[in-house]
Amino acid sequence: MTSSPRAPLAQSLHFWARNASNESALLQASLRLGLFDALPVEGSDTPKPLDVLTQALAVSTRGLRALLEMLTSMGFVHMDDARRFALSAQTAGILRSEPFQQRLSAELPWWEPHGLLDTAVKQGGPVAHAGRDWDVLGHLQALFLDAPATTDSPEAEDFFDRFARSAPRHQVLVTAGRMGVLEQLASAPRTVEALGTLTQTSPQGLRVLLDVLARMELVREDGGAWSLTPPARQLLDGKALAYLVRSLTVSARYWEALGRLEETVRHERFILDLKNPEVSQSFYADNSNQLTAVFASHFQLSRRAATTLAQTRPLDGAQVLDIGTGSGVWGSAFARATPTTHVTYFDQAVVLEQVQRNVQALKVSDRARLWPGNLFTHDFGEADFDVIILPQVLNVLLPDMLPGLFARVAKALRPGGVLLIAEYVLNERRDGPLDHLYFGLRRFMTNEGDLLSASEYAQLLSAVGLTQSVCIPLPTQELIFAARPGVTLPSQLASTESEARPASTEARGA
Ligand SMILES: C[S@@+](CC[C@H](N)C(=O)[O-])C[C@H]1O[C@@H](n2cnc3c(N)ncnc32)[C@H](O)[C@@H]1O
């Protein structure tokens, strides 16, 4: 989660691939919006609630809340128990310095040119953008390789690093993945010239790219030949490299929108608007390809969820509905739980083509029904399902759509039925976990859903008669089980041991 050089490489790589550009975008948008100046200083002034800050800055409430919750999680802002915000005294001290502010402001125009890194590396020289040439390679060189010693404090340097270097680290990875540099280095050590020929890039561009990747401890040079470092080789072994490259392609789609985050927070102008059906179809078709690539690891989680539910609600003969199925990974885990469980997979038609292939591969297609439709409006029927799963899909819906969806889902559940939500559930203060908050920021930017805490979910579910709910953490996300009164719900996650048993035994044992 942190870009600190002391963080283990696996943790750093995860951060650079997923959230590093979000971190810089958050800090840059906060500066552009004047948020740091608008916040009272902790210990000196009275903290201010969200609505007062929203009004003062004339911005979107939800956008500002997303920024403040992340800044709180990172420790730059303090939130008291009444949800009033103040800038931490240390951050205020850092930002009080005029030369430091100038150093930050000088980085702001570089977001879009950094997005042209592929071209810069190919050509080995400046790239044209907005009517002028930008020496992107020279800028990266200055940021990472020739950075002059400054008199700023370590805390200020850390702030600057997150503000200015986190996003380019992400972009360097994206370019190295997209141009095949990582793949070539994983297969054999290469000289810059050989790598240039293989990837059709310029030696000048490659040298800068490789030098930055070396600073990130992902590659190294030995006797003129470049290769992955041993820890990077270990992390990117087998299918992991292909997965990383694929996930970088998906996260690269957010680059422009992140660079224009200020505009989205100010005017709710969505640069990557997934409420636009064409944009959504292309985005989620790509996303479900990526999800299919990680099917095996997600399947472990979804199987564990199925086993957990089967402890209290046997799945033999159960009718299961998987809404927003994506790759079909959740529904098929339930299909595999017993030989008699029937699963209906619901998603946009374009996505269901993937599901068809996946359920065939898992040999559960004889108990599968593919149901295309629009989840924002679809009527899922009345008392037709024993289990309804909403896996990582609520975050697609705008907050005001949730009550309507929950009402349609509750109607479709049989009286003793169970609803299972798999989501990133926030803590009760809504200031963590930070990974979840970054995910929530992307959902805001794409005109999609909000992340909620367990009690916020419980309130919405109670309103549609699902008055019982429990929240159980999985390794990377949370499960919420909900039902009408009198239905027994699981209270803890099934052990991994029970997953190891054959599928039919799991169901019988439940
Ligand atoms: C984040 S993905 C989750 C995929 C899957 N459940 C998983 O956990 O891997 C959200 C899914 O919701 C689907 N979706 C988004 N908008 C939709 C809509 N209006 N109607 C139907 N499905 C939609 C997308 O196609 C996508 O497959």
Side-chain angles (χ1 to χ4, degrees):
M1 196 142 18
T2 161
S3 56
S4 141
R6 275 192 297 274
L9 191 63
Q11 201 182 328
S12 299
L13 187 60
H14 173 82
F15 175 72
W16 297 326
R18 243 178 115 78
N19 291 326
S21 48
N22 298 245
E23 180 179 74
S24 293
L26 156 72
L27 297 177
Q28 295 190 15
S30 301
L31 186 80
R32 284 179 193 270
L33 286 163
L35 174 56
F36 296 125
D37 291 333
L39 280 164
V41 177
E42 185 191 9
S44 314
D45 311 307
T46 312
K48 289 183 179 165
L50 179 63
D51 56 343
V52 171
L53 290 165
T54 302
Q55 233 176 7
L57 293 167
V59 296
S60 140
T61 308
R62 188 173 154 207
L64 182 60
R65 193 199 60 194
L67 302 189
L68 286 168
E69 287 171 350
M70 284 183 292
L71 291 169
T72 304
S73 186
M74 293 165 77
F76 294 126
V77 163
H78 181 260
M79 177 178 71
D80 67 14
D81 290 340
R83 289 190 64 82
R84 294 178 310 166
F85 298 90
L87 194 62
S88 83
Q90 187 178 66
T91 312
I94 292 171
L95 293 173
R96 212 169 285 132
S97 151
E98 189 57 34
F100 187 69
Q101 289 258 1
Q102 282 167 7
R103 214 179 141 202
L104 296 179
S105 298
E107 296 301 324
L108 291 176
W110 282 97
W111 192 282
E112 287 176 348
H114 280 154
L116 303 172
L117 183 59
D118 285 18
T119 314
V121 171
K122 250 188 199 324
Q123 296 172 352
V127 286
H129 168 69
R132 61 166 266 212
D133 283 344
W134 297 78
D135 184 7
V136 171
L137 298 174
H139 189 63
L140 286 183
Q141 174 100 23
L143 265 180
F144 289 96
L145 309 170
D146 318 325
T150 68
T151 51
D152 289 322
S153 67
E155 292 76 24
E157 279 308 317
D158 176 67
F159 190 96
F160 180 81
D161 191 75
R162 293 168 190 269
F163 185 98
R165 296 195 191 97
S166 285
R169 285 188 185 102
H170 170 78
Q171 194 55 42
V172 161
L173 260 189
V174 168
T175 296
R178 205 152 44 191
M179 304 193 98
V181 171
L182 294 175
E183 209 182 326
Q184 290 299 339
L185 293 180
S187 60
R190 315 268 184 200
T191 62
V192 169
E193 288 68 28
L195 203 51
T197 310
L198 287 164
T199 58
Q200 299 181 323
T201 48
S202 72
Q204 300 90 314
L206 265 180
R207 240 173 235 119
V208 174
L209 194 73
L210 290 168
D211 281 340
V212 178
L213 288 169
R215 290 291 161 108
M216 293 160 73
E217 297 177 15
L218 290 169
V219 305
R220 66 174 183 188
E221 188 191 9
D222 193 5
W226 288 86
S227 57
L228 296 183
T229 58
R233 181 171 295 282
Q234 210 177 2
L235 284 173
L236 299 177
D237 196 29
K239 290 184 182 160
L241 176 57
Y243 168 61
L244 173 72
V245 172
R246 232 182 250 263
S247 71
L248 286 168
T249 316
V250 175
S251 29
R253 281 179 172 254
Y254 291 100
W255 184 265
E256 185 191 351
L258 283 168
R260 293 169 64 184
L261 180 58
E262 175 209 7
E263 226 174 295
T264 309
V265 175
R266 215 182 267 290
H267 308 293
E268 296 208 344
R269 189 177 297 139
F270 301 103
I271 312 304
L272 176 65
D273 187 353
L274 294 181
K275 283 288 165 292
N276 174 330
E278 266 176 41
V279 180
S280 166
Q281 277 172 28
S282 132
F283 182 91
Y284 280 116
D286 220 13
N287 191 61
S288 80
N289 276 330
Q290 190 208 337
L291 290 173
T292 296
V294 290
F295 202 95
S297 70
H298 285 200
F299 196 57
Q300 280 178 5
L301 290 184
S302 50
R303 263 177 73 89
R304 197 150 180 209
T307 314
T308 300
L309 177 58
Q311 293 173 337
T312 54
R313 204 283 168 220
L315 294 169
D316 306 74
Q319 285 290 342
V320 177
L321 170 63
D322 175 2
I323 301 178
T325 186
S327 61
V329 67
W330 282 81
S332 38
F334 279 74
R336 289 286 293 253
T338 88
T340 54
T341 313
H342 286 257
V343 179
T344 300
Y345 301 83
F346 181 93
D347 210 301
Q348 323 189 54
V350 62
V351 169
L352 291 178
E353 291 164 22
Q354 283 277 342
V355 177
Q356 176 84 52
R357 284 194 288 277
N358 292 336
V359 294
Q360 268 164 3
L362 282 169
K363 301 193 173 30
V364 290
S365 53
D366 55 328
R367 290 176 287 119
R369 171 182 166 220
L370 304 187
W371 201 7
N374 183 350
L375 72 91
F376 302 152
T377 51
H378 199 86
D379 183 345
F380 298 108
E382 195 165 343
D384 286 336
F385 298 98
D386 301 291
V387 178
I388 298 184
I389 328 171
L390 290 166
Q392 287 296 334
V393 70
L394 294 179
N395 56 65
V396 163
L397 286 105
L398 286 172
D400 62 4
M401 291 173 162
L402 280 187
L405 175 69
F406 284 149
R408 284 180 281 131
V409 163
K411 189 180 89 169
L413 261 189
R414 290 183 174 149
V418 176
L419 170 65
L420 166 54
I421 295 170
E423 262 307 332
Y424 297 120
V425 179
L426 296 182
N427 64 25
E428 289 301 318
R429 273 174 59 86
R430 293 188 52 96
D431 63 354
L434 184 55
D435 262 2
H436 289 15
L437 292 169
Y438 282 134
F439 180 84
L441 171 72
R442 292 195 290 273
R443 302 285 64 78
F444 164 68
M445 279 168 37
T446 49
N447 197 10
E448 295 190 297
D450 205 357
L451 299 194
L452 303 181
S453 66
S455 60
E456 287 171 324
Y457 275 119
Q459 208 174 346
L460 289 173
L461 293 166
S462 281
V464 295
L466 305 178
T467 49
Q468 295 192 77
S469 61
V470 291
C471 181
I472 302 180
L474 271 181
T476 51
Q477 55 192 288
E478 285 74 29
L479 297 176
I480 291 180
F481 293 95
R484 297 190 174 89
V487 178
T488 311
L489 292 177
S491 55
Q492 59 183 24
L493 204 56
S495 67
T496 39
E497 216 172 84
S498 46
E499 275 177 311
R501 289 184 285 153
S504 55
T505 320
E506 270 170 34
R508 272 202 304 276

